[in-house]
Every structure is written in structure tokens, then in C-alpha cells.
Amino acid sequence: MQDIYVKLSEIKLMIQKKIRHSLVEKYIPSPTIDEDKLLLLYAIFDEIDLSISKKESYIVTVMLVQIALDTHDKVTNHRDAESTEFIQRQITALAGDYYSGLYYLLLSELKDIKMIRTLAEAIKEINEHKIKLYHDKVLTQQAKMESELIVETTLFQKVTEHYNLDFWSLFSKKFLTYKKLSHEKFHNEDGQSNLGMIINKEPFPISSFKKAYESFYEETASLLDVCLFKTPSIKDILFKRLQNIRFDGTLHYNKTVEEGLS
């Protein structure tokens, strides 16, 4: 198991080296690497018959797509921005484009036109729903949350569908949705859950949301329990992470590698 944590740390370092740029670092913080998504990708590609170097290249590539998407989300649109903020805004947009260029470069080196098409489809669908979220003023709460979940899970849905990995398509969707539900559970302040509309199609009290939240945990854990993994220790790591997300609201982001190496 420790070997997997070391490998995750190595891949994270590979990503950090790829995205490092002195001009970008001068004006904006380094982008966040979602370690849960990194862990999921590692688990997914562990099931695919590829060389280790190719697996790592694909993992880095997909994570660069995620980072590019996340970076573009941080671009502000304040019309009265001061000069410093204006520069940060422009650099942030350019950084997103820079990260996009990196994943296209990696895929061109791998000569994988089909994967380029797969990721392009994912990006298209994600951005369509981001446009809805940002610009559709009459979007219902249910439609809003459905779009948010599509934004959160589509990249993994497309990658797993690309390789015909039905289990990982379902598991990644359940896992990432559960994480988002868990995040709302720990940060909810008004006693209502918007994400509850995805489950019950109407607003309902936080007590009912917690029941649905626990149900989602059981579904995700059950999927782990019944599946035979090529590397059994990956199952243990995923289950440990699932438990940590369940019981500690501070463990939602950037903790997977640290948990294993601490």
C-alpha cells in the first residue's frame, strides 16, 4: 500500500513540474491538484493493459485537463478591477490556456487521436453546463445542481467510457457525487440541502438529506466491496479515503497522498 502512496506522490510531482511557470507563479497561486481525482485515475488506469510510462502519461494528461478547467473557473469578470487584479485575471486566463496546451502536447506525443476526441467531448459538455450555471438566470435549483454534478463527474465518465470500464464509470460518478454531498453536509448552514433535489427532486430538511447522504455512502462502499481489483491494496486505499471523507469535513481536499505518507 505504501508503494502506491509513493507512486501517487511521484505522479503529483510530475504534474507540478509540468504546470510550473515562473511568470504564472509571480501573479497567481499554484493550481490545486485534486488528490481524490488523482487517486481515482490511478485506480482506473491500473486496470488497463498499458505500460507504466503510458499509464502515467495518461494520468498526468487527464489531471492537466482538470487543472485547466479549474483554472479557467477562477477568472474574474469585475469590470472595475484595479490594474493588479486585471493582470491577475489575464494571467489566470492565460494559465488555463497554457495548461490546456500541455495536455494536447502530451496526447500528440502519445499519438492518441481517439483520446483527444474523448477529452474534447468532455470539455465541451462541461463548459456547456458551466455556461448554464453562470449565465442562465432562470435555471431551477434542481437543474443547477444537476449541472454542477455533471461538471464534477463528466471528465471521468468520458475517460472510463473510452476504455469500456463500466464499473469505474459508475464508481467514479458515485464517489465524486458522494464527496460533493459530503462537502455540502459539512458546510451547510441553513438546515436545507440544495443537493437533496437531485435525490428527492424537491427541497427537504437536512435530517432527510443526511439519510440520503448515508445511503450514498453505502452504495459507494458496496461497489468497492463487490469488485475484484487487479491490485487489491487500491481498494483498501479508496475505502480508507471514503471513510475519511465521511467522518472529517477537513479531509475533503488534497489529503490522499499526505494520509498515506504521514
Side-chain angles (χ1 to χ4, degrees):
M1 186 181 294
Q2 193 68 14
D3 289 344
I4 294 174
Y5 285 119
V6 171
K7 179 55 68 175
L8 286 168
S9 183
E10 290 174 351
I11 297 173
K12 182 179 178 182
L13 184 59
M14 291 168 62
I15 297 168
Q16 289 172 330
K17 287 181 177 179
K18 288 285 184 184
I19 61 179
R20 190 165 295 147
H21 193 290
S22 57
L23 179 60
V24 173
E25 292 174 347
K26 181 179 178 180
Y27 288 99
I28 61 175
S30 298
T32 300
I33 297 173
D34 188 321
E35 293 186 0
D36 287 322
K37 291 182 177 179
L38 176 59
L39 172 60
L40 271 178
L41 285 172
Y42 184 89
I44 289 165
F45 279 94
D46 186 67
E47 300 293 323
I48 301 171
D49 187 19
L50 292 169
S51 67
I52 292 175
S53 61
K54 279 197 171 184
K55 288 180 182 182
E56 291 176 350
S57 293
Y58 280 113
I59 292 169
V60 171
T61 298
V62 178
M63 287 304 298
L64 286 172
V65 174
Q66 186 67 64
I67 289 168
L69 289 165
D70 293 343
T71 300
H72 279 129
D73 283 346
K74 296 176 182 177
V75 179
T76 62
N77 59 359
H78 299 154
R79 295 182 179 179
D80 57 347
E82 297 180 359
S83 58
T84 302
E85 184 179 346
F86 177 78
I87 293 173
Q88 289 177 328
R89 183 171 63 192
Q90 298 302 308
I91 294 295
T92 302
L94 290 171
D97 293 339
Y98 174 66
Y99 304 143
S100 299
L102 287 175
Y103 69 71
Y104 280 121
L105 175 62
L106 283 173
L107 285 177
S108 67
E109 292 172 349
L110 289 167
K111 297 180 173 60
D112 193 338
I113 302 300
K114 290 183 178 179
M115 180 58 88
I116 291 176
R117 186 179 299 114
T118 293
L119 295 179
E121 289 174 355
I123 294 166
K124 174 179 176 291
E125 185 171 344
I126 289 168
N127 285 333
E128 284 174 350
H129 283 273
K130 284 183 178 181
I131 290 170
K132 282 186 180 181
L133 290 168
Y134 296 151
H135 298 293
D136 192 338
K137 303 301 182 183
V138 296
L139 205 62
T140 66
Q141 197 68 276
Q142 180 181 332
K144 178 182 176 183
M145 298 314 300
E146 287 175 346
S147 287
E148 287 185 0
L149 291 178
I150 288 171
V151 168
E152 185 69 17
T153 64
T154 291
L155 182 58
F156 285 77
Q157 297 303 291
K158 293 295 184 182
V159 170
T160 51
E161 288 169 8
H162 178 86
Y163 290 107
N164 297 314
L165 298 172
D166 294 340
F167 167 80
W168 287 104
S169 179
L170 179 59
F171 178 79
S172 60
K173 186 172 185 177
K174 293 281 188 181
F175 181 87
L176 293 173
T177 301
Y178 174 74
K179 181 179 175 179
K180 196 164 184 67
L181 286 167
S182 183
H183 181 74
E184 178 164 334
K185 174 178 178 289
F186 280 103
H187 293 82
N188 187 282
E189 296 178 350
D190 61 5
Q192 295 288 328
S193 168
N194 292 327
L195 272 172
M197 300 187 75
I198 295 299
I199 301 167
N200 276 12
K201 304 301 181 184
E202 60 183 16
F204 58 105
I206 196 66
S207 59
S208 298
F209 168 73
K210 287 179 179 178
K211 291 179 181 178
Y213 160 83
E214 289 298 329
S215 176
F216 237 84
Y217 170 83
E218 295 297 336
E219 289 176 18
T220 310
S222 293
L223 283 172
L224 277 177
D225 190 47
V226 300
C227 183
L228 295 176
F229 281 58
K230 185 177 179 180
T231 306
S233 54
I234 291 179
K235 177 189 287 192
D236 297 333
I237 293 172
L238 284 167
F239 188 70
K240 178 183 176 183
R241 182 57 186 153
L242 190 63
Q243 289 180 309
N244 285 336
I245 292 172
R246 183 186 191 189
F247 294 114
D248 192 340
T250 66
L251 291 176
H252 282 212
Y253 299 100
N254 308 309
K255 293 291 183 180
T256 304
V257 173
E258 288 87 342
E259 285 167 8
L261 297 178
S262 60

